[in-house]
Amino acid sequence: MKIQIPSAARRVSPAEVDVPAGEVRVIESHHAAGFRMGMGQWPFHKICWVAVGRGRLEFAGGATAIQRNDFLLLPAGLKHRFADEPGDPLTLVILCVDAGYLTKGGNRELVDLWRVAMDAQAPCRALCARTAFHHTALVDRIRQALHEQGAGRLGWRIAVQSAANSVLIRLARGYLVARESHHATSRQTVEGAVEYIDSRPHEPMRIEDMAERCQLSPRRFTEVFRQVTGTTFSTYLNRKRIEFAIERLRETGHILYTCHESGFNDLAYFYRVFKKQTGLTPGEFLHRSTTPRGKSKPRPSRK
């Protein structure tokens, strides 16, 4: 299904982009039929998402066919232009990252993230997300940056930078692969969701939301999730949350705080799940963990 863009919002020539030194900006470019772009160079890095359409990225020495849901990593100074496929004009959403932003404050970590991402993927190559789950994660951050910049509310620059940092982290962690040799299966997509749960078990999660992010129906997601993990979504999530809770209990010694930090909003339910998985209540676990052998210690309060 093609997205209809009002003709007044479509461009026949490239947008003028002003990226202040040391900052990040987002542009949304809806191309009209007959869009023309000359070969040019830009003093900032581009992280491009092809939201709609087909065409080519042309650059010195070659061209790359691009299509909907491709990503492109274009370093500052690279001479290039976009050419639309007749009858299927492009809509591009581009994170424009000034090179000075990567070294702002003397912290080189962002430089390293960009370098790792570029080392993994040759510039000008058409890339796609590793799975539908990874695609959703990237696009959500880019849309967040676009929304914050457009709304212009208090703190929008920091919000845009935060979204850009999140994208850079995901690029460096291998969220993108070469499109021409990749086809993600439902299993690979759900494996991406499992990877997400493993790294963020404390965050709010619903099976319906996770299925949507994987672009699968809840029923299909449930089926594949069981194939991947050998158990249900809720059982797996609770297992990971209790593993996280065990570490937080050891670190903080605080049961109620750990309950909420681990993603449980109900203390009684936290107790039930913890006891089922470990054979101990949180208080009993904490008592055993903090009492030296041969000595007794008063049990901690539930609160």
Side-chain angles (χ1 to χ4, degrees):
M1 181 181 69
K2 292 185 179 180
I3 300 174
Q4 296 300 314
I5 306 297
S7 59
R10 295 174 179 167
R11 305 194 59 84
V12 295
S13 61
E16 294 294 328
V17 185
D18 177 25
V19 182
E23 294 198 27
V24 180
R25 292 292 184 269
V26 195
I27 63 170
E28 187 178 39
S29 183
H30 304 288
H31 296 182
F35 175 88
R36 294 290 183 271
M37 178 179 183
M39 193 72 76
Q41 292 175 287
W42 286 262
F44 45 79
H45 306 306
K46 294 181 180 181
I47 302 170
C48 308
W49 167 44
V50 182
V52 175
R54 292 182 299 150
R56 299 183 313 283
L57 170 70
E58 298 179 351
F59 50 93
T64 297
I66 57 176
Q67 63 188 33
R68 180 174 180 268
N69 286 334
D70 278 352
F71 294 87
L72 300 157
L73 307 182
L74 307 178
L78 175 73
K79 186 174 289 188
H80 67 277
R81 69 180 176 190
F82 292 101
D84 295 9
E85 184 75 15
D88 198 3
L90 294 164
T91 287
L92 304 171
V93 184
I94 306 174
L95 274 174
C96 305
V97 182
D98 180 72
Y101 173 73
L102 301 180
T103 57
K104 204 170 184 178
N107 186 345
R108 304 271 312 170
E109 191 168 6
L110 291 176
V111 173
D112 292 339
L113 291 175
W114 177 253
R115 177 183 53 77
V116 169
M118 293 298 293
D119 286 349
Q121 306 295 344
C124 304
R125 172 180 282 184
L127 308 172
C128 69
R130 187 147 49 97
T131 68
F133 185 88
H134 296 90
H135 175 86
T136 300
L138 284 170
V139 170
D140 280 352
R141 298 308 183 279
I142 294 172
R143 285 174 171 156
Q144 178 190 359
L146 185 63
H147 173 74
E148 288 287 350
Q149 180 177 291
R153 295 173 297 183
L154 180 66
W156 70 267
R157 290 180 179 83
I158 296 175
V160 169
Q161 292 170 9
S162 176
N165 291 351
S166 184
V167 169
L168 286 169
I169 290 169
R170 284 162 170 77
L171 297 181
R173 290 180 178 178
Y175 272 43
L176 295 180
V177 295
R179 171 170 52 78
E180 69 269 14
S181 59
H182 183 69
H183 174 69
T185 64
S186 295
R187 184 182 179 91
Q188 290 171 321
T189 296
V190 173
E191 286 172 349
V194 172
E195 176 186 311
Y196 181 87
I197 294 170
D198 290 349
S199 63
R200 299 173 180 82
H202 53 284
E203 292 187 357
M205 294 185 201
R206 297 190 319 135
I207 193 168
E208 294 82 4
D209 296 334
M210 296 295 283
E212 182 178 0
R213 296 183 70 172
C214 291
Q215 298 180 19
L216 298 171
S217 69
R219 181 176 180 179
R220 177 61 176 160
F221 176 83
T222 299
E223 176 187 333
V224 178
F225 193 93
R226 185 180 284 276
Q227 292 172 2
V228 171
T229 66
T231 190
T232 66
F233 174 81
S234 61
T235 299
Y236 187 86
L237 177 59
N238 279 341
R239 181 191 304 162
K240 291 299 175 179
R241 284 179 169 173
I242 294 303
E243 290 174 3
F244 182 78
I246 286 171
E247 296 303 316
R248 297 304 288 145
L249 274 176
R250 286 172 174 157
E251 293 165 357
T252 70
H254 199 299
I255 295 173
L256 183 59
Y257 178 76
T258 294
C259 168
H260 294 297
E261 279 288 286
S262 305
F264 295 94
N265 294 320
D266 182 273
L267 185 60
Y269 181 62
F270 173 60
Y271 263 74
R272 288 198 303 272
V273 176
F274 196 99
K275 178 70 177 287
K276 181 178 180 180
Q277 188 162 317
T278 67
L280 302 170
T281 68
E284 289 168 344
F285 172 84
L286 191 56
H287 181 71
R288 291 192 180 188
S289 299
T290 57
T291 302
R293 182 175 298 180
K295 296 184 179 181
S296 62
K297 185 175 181 180
R299 292 193 178 191
S301 166
R302 288 178 57 171
K303 296 184 179 182

